[in-house]
Amino acid sequence: GENTDSIDVIHYGINLNVNNKINNGHIGFTDIKFKIISCTYHSVCFMLKNQTVDSVKTLSGQDIPFSYSSPNITLSLPLSSVGDIMYIRVYYHGGEVIEPYQWGGIHYLSNLVYVLGVAFRDYPHSYARSWFVAKDSFDDKATYSFNIEVNKNVQVICGGVLDSITNNDSSNTYHYHIPQMISPYLCSLTIANFKTYTSTIHSIYGGDIPLVVHYISGDSLTIRDCFSRVPQGFNALEKEFGRFRFNRVGYCVTPRGSMEHVDNISLAE
């Protein structure tokens, strides 16, 4: 039977073309590397909300039988043993997905695409499934890579480290990775023609941490004033909770929020 508790996801590779091939939509695939942690079984379930699943394959390209009844993608896997590492690739496409409370999900606006990773009125409340294929559970942590292709007039902000940008003929592809093990709902995607305010926070443990704010409207002086006390608050948190474990103190100003995505907090205007 379906048993998501019997797998542990190790890594997600999120590959999406957003608002470029499909107007107000996305197309791509999620690679999932996972470990079998209990029992031998033939079936496993991942989640994706209100989209179209095009195919499911092994990394070598062989088809894996599946059924999709949103949000559940049920796969028939080859017989496996405890400890086995398995890889699947799920091809899909879709558009805006917003929960009944009109908060969490992937939002498509005329000048902004953004994700809020929690649903108040959908269960489970983790809402990664609104934009990628996931074991959508608060307690299953993994590492992540993102390859996001967009039009040339916008930028992609994800959590993690920006490794590179590939310049294609009519688009750009942004490559990020999150090296820390985190829950799927803390991943994020924000796309717009952003202005950027950058500053530095001095850690009480030594070293500097970037403070980066992406915003669409307003001016840099206003943004600087708004965020002037963040370093003081950050140092207070360090004293209470210890060394900062992520990559930057990052914000994207969005119409709805505020949501504590790793490195890329969606901050309501």
Side-chain angles (χ1 to χ4, degrees):
E2 297 155 33
N3 189 350
T4 45
D5 291 334
S6 56
I7 64 163
D8 172 27
V9 176
I10 299 166
H11 184 79
Y12 291 94
I14 298 163
N15 301 267
L16 282 179
N17 181 305
V18 183
N19 220 6
N20 166 261
K21 274 187 181 171
I22 304 173
N23 192 33
N24 290 322
H26 48 266
I27 182 167
F29 58 92
T30 305
D31 284 334
I32 307 175
K33 175 185 179 183
F34 59 98
K35 185 178 188 178
I36 307 296
I37 53 176
S38 70
C39 73
T40 303
Y41 61 96
H42 295 276
S43 175
V44 64
C45 185
F46 291 97
M47 299 182 99
L48 182 68
K49 183 82 177 184
N50 290 357
Q51 302 190 39
T52 301
V53 178
D54 298 309
S55 63
V56 183
K57 296 185 183 291
T58 64
L59 282 195
S60 63
Q62 293 169 298
D63 280 305
I64 296 173
F66 73 93
S67 64
Y68 178 49
S69 177
S70 176
N72 296 316
I73 305 171
T74 306
L75 310 175
S76 300
L77 292 179
L79 201 60
S80 51
S81 310
V82 171
D84 283 358
I85 304 290
M86 307 197 80
Y87 300 84
I88 62 160
R89 173 172 287 184
V90 184
Y91 288 91
Y92 66 99
H93 65 276
E96 185 167 82
V97 176
I98 302 178
E99 55 135 337
Y101 192 64
Q102 299 298 301
W103 196 86
I106 181 164
H107 298 250
Y108 277 86
L109 307 178
S110 60
N111 64 338
L112 173 69
V113 178
Y114 72 105
V115 163
L116 297 174
V118 161
F120 288 102
R121 288 200 189 142
D122 202 349
Y123 184 82
H125 299 302
S126 175
Y127 221 46
R129 64 187 178 280
S130 65
W131 65 290
F132 68 95
V133 182
K135 179 183 170 184
D136 209 3
S137 165
F138 287 127
D139 61 4
D140 192 38
K141 297 182 179 182
T143 56
Y144 299 79
S145 54
F146 306 86
N147 301 297
I148 310 294
E149 185 177 347
V150 293
N151 293 320
K152 285 186 177 288
N153 62 340
V154 291
Q155 301 92 48
V156 177
I157 315 301
C158 291
V161 179
L162 176 60
D163 295 312
S164 63
I165 303 168
T166 305
N167 295 294
N168 317 307
D169 285 345
S170 61
S171 63
N172 291 331
T173 305
Y174 288 71
H175 309 279
Y176 285 85
H177 79 282
I178 300 179
Q180 298 88 358
M181 302 279 287
I182 67 165
S183 305
Y185 80 103
L186 292 171
C187 290
S188 62
L189 173 70
T190 321
I191 299 168
N193 183 8
F194 284 115
K195 304 175 196 174
T196 304
Y197 167 73
T198 305
S199 184
T200 299
I201 298 172
H202 303 296
S203 169
I204 63 172
Y205 294 95
D208 290 338
I209 291 144
L211 167 61
V212 185
V213 183
H214 300 282
Y215 61 103
I216 297 172
S217 56
D219 60 67
S220 59
L221 285 176
T222 308
I223 293 289
R224 190 180 73 186
D225 288 348
C226 287
F227 288 87
S228 61
R229 300 189 68 178
V230 169
Q232 187 183 343
F234 182 91
N235 292 153
L237 289 169
E238 283 186 304
K239 285 183 184 132
E240 293 297 325
F241 298 106
R243 185 185 292 275
F244 183 66
R245 291 196 238 168
F246 296 102
N247 312 293
R248 69 181 183 273
V249 178
Y251 298 89
C252 278
V253 178
T254 52
R256 296 199 170 183
S258 296
M259 178 61 207
E260 68 278 12
H261 307 121
V262 164
D263 298 330
N264 188 24
I265 294 163
S266 296
L267 190 66
E269 290 177 86

